[in-house]
Amino acid sequence: MKPETTASLLAALVWTMAGCSRGPGRNSDSRANPLASTSSVVISRSHSFDPCSLILAPHGGEGGADKEIGRLQREVQQAADPSRAIEQLGWAFVAKARVSFDAFYFKLAEDCALCLESREPGSLEAMLLRGHALHNQHRFKEAEPLARELVARRGLPFEYGLLGDVLMEQGQLAEATEAYQTMIDLRPDLQSYARGAHIRWLKGSLAGAVALMELAASAASPVDAESAAWLNTRLAFYHLQADDSRAAQRVCDAALEFQKDYPPALLLRGRILLAEGETAAAIGPLERATQLNPLPEYQWTLAEALRAEGRDREAFALEKELRRTGAAADPRTFALFLATRGDQPDTAVRLAQAELNQRGDVFTQDALAWSLQAAGRIEEAGAHMEKALAEGTQDARLAFHAAVIAAKAGRQDDARHWFEAAFERFHLLLPSEQARLEAGSLLADAGDLDEPALVDDSESNNFSTPGPQLAPGAGR
């Protein structure tokens, strides 16, 4: 790997998983929308488009990332051999995607990889750049063979990280864990620790996730403020999962010190306040987060807070916008929203099923299960819910959904078990989910497992080796 690109690559790789990790929460789409763009640059693509021309489209802006893109575009145009500059330009587009929360720039990063490949067939640098770009566009099946070839031909820690990322998103946690473990063994640093923490959480070891993420966050530096903000936001999320609001708030504040107005941290701050019952105080940070990153998870959370405070008209207007843009912006979260509202269940099923065709992780299985139950297809819902629970992920919404589906299927013991599990993490649910959980639990206790109907509200740094182990149970 060329040394000139190492610094920018190190920064970008922290975000590879973050790009498809749902910000501070359980969802995985809050960094950037793979289908929509807020960029002022308009590019027309045809079947015969030339990626080497597209990456040189005039780019404006006065930010640091914008100036770096402009500088590298000029270098590409002027250099006798522009290959190095093309690669660097690709990673600069990745950096721009991070600061703008606009996945349009991941497509431009992919174009840089295609341009470099056309000049240097078989280039591993082009392959790595393209693999990251595809991953961040949620094109996991396309990224997987690139990651496997990189690991086979070179086997850098970053490449094992990419392989683990695309496997994790497809629900192949055993093989993803192996890839991440190799990454940790080769280079135990904040990037590998962050990935290991995520796997531990998915496998049900919250204490193990906290331990690894604390190592990752302790290595963060203001030199890459955004990466530091993401790492601390994720650590704060784990603390909130553990019902330690004080630690969650402290670490969330640290994230916002690294990056002022960082949307995932603002969203999490709002969720922490909701968990503490301070709904009115939660609205401010949630509004700011939604202004900066208007994705469904943000809009839904803010709408819940507004409605809980009796601000129904504002909640309705926000949910109207969510219904207008949600299917394109984040189909999985939008499917969950529709199913929770009992609105357009067939649309929710269609969106969740299409998402499952691209990613088979536990949360996509859950989204489809929840959508199927809303459509009255309880037996199918139960099959997918079983897959969602298979890894032992400790998540309030998973438990809540499992309880409702078991209740509707007439499995009383299972329903009571999952109601109890959901109540253990009651603070992590949105207000409407909390109300529905309480109602369902009362019915289960009474032996009546027909869940109540929903009200239609559609209008209203490095470390010494060897690294830690990610085997099941490690860090518990």
Side-chain angles (χ1 to χ4, degrees), residues 336-458:
L336 284 168
F337 168 79
L338 290 176
T340 300
R341 290 288 186 261
D343 183 20
Q344 304 178 54
D346 292 338
T347 297
V349 170
R350 175 178 56 79
L351 291 171
Q353 183 63 69
E355 191 77 357
L356 190 61
N357 293 336
Q358 294 297 321
R359 61 203 310 189
D361 66 314
V362 297
F363 297 118
T364 308
Q365 294 286 354
D366 170 61
L368 182 53
W370 191 235
S371 300
L372 286 165
Q373 71 79 29
R377 296 160 59 178
I378 305 305
E379 184 175 352
E380 295 171 82
H384 286 283
M385 196 72 241
E386 184 175 351
K387 294 177 182 178
L389 298 169
E391 300 293 345
T393 309
Q394 299 177 25
D395 181 80
R397 189 173 281 167
L398 287 182
F400 166 50
H401 292 171
V404 172
I405 291 170
K408 289 190 172 184
R411 303 196 312 271
Q412 185 172 3
D413 290 343
D414 285 345
R416 286 179 174 149
H417 168 78
W418 289 114
F419 276 128
E420 291 172 2
F423 267 107
E424 290 177 1
R425 292 172 176 79
F426 185 80
H427 63 289
L428 298 170
L429 295 172
L430 295 173
S432 68
E433 294 174 314
Q434 292 175 340
R436 188 171 179 182
L437 177 63
E438 288 178 319
S441 181
L442 288 172
L443 289 171
D445 288 340
D448 180 357
L449 295 176
D450 289 329
E451 204 209 0
L454 283 174
V455 175
D456 182 6
D457 61 359
S458 61

Side-chain angles (χ1 to χ4, degrees), residues 20-21 28 135 140 164-171 359-361:
C20 290
S21 295
S28 29
H135 171 265
F140 309 117
D165 294 342
V166 297
L167 291 171
M168 181 269 295
E169 292 286 357
Q170 295 179 84
R359 61 203 310 189
D361 66 314

Side-chain angles (χ1 to χ4, degrees), residues 4-5 28 48 54 126 177 206 246 259 310 358 380 399 420 461 468 472:
E4 297 88 343
T5 64
S28 29
S48 59
L54 293 176
T177 300
L206 180 56
R246 180 174 297 181
Q259 189 72 37
Q358 294 297 321
E380 295 171 82
E420 291 172 2
N461 275 315

Side-chain angles (χ1 to χ4, degrees), residues 61-77:
E62 295 299 323
D66 301 303
K67 292 178 180 179
E68 179 67 0
I69 288 171
R71 183 189 71 80
L72 289 168
Q73 286 179 323
R74 291 189 295 273
E75 186 173 338
V76 170
Q77 292 172 310

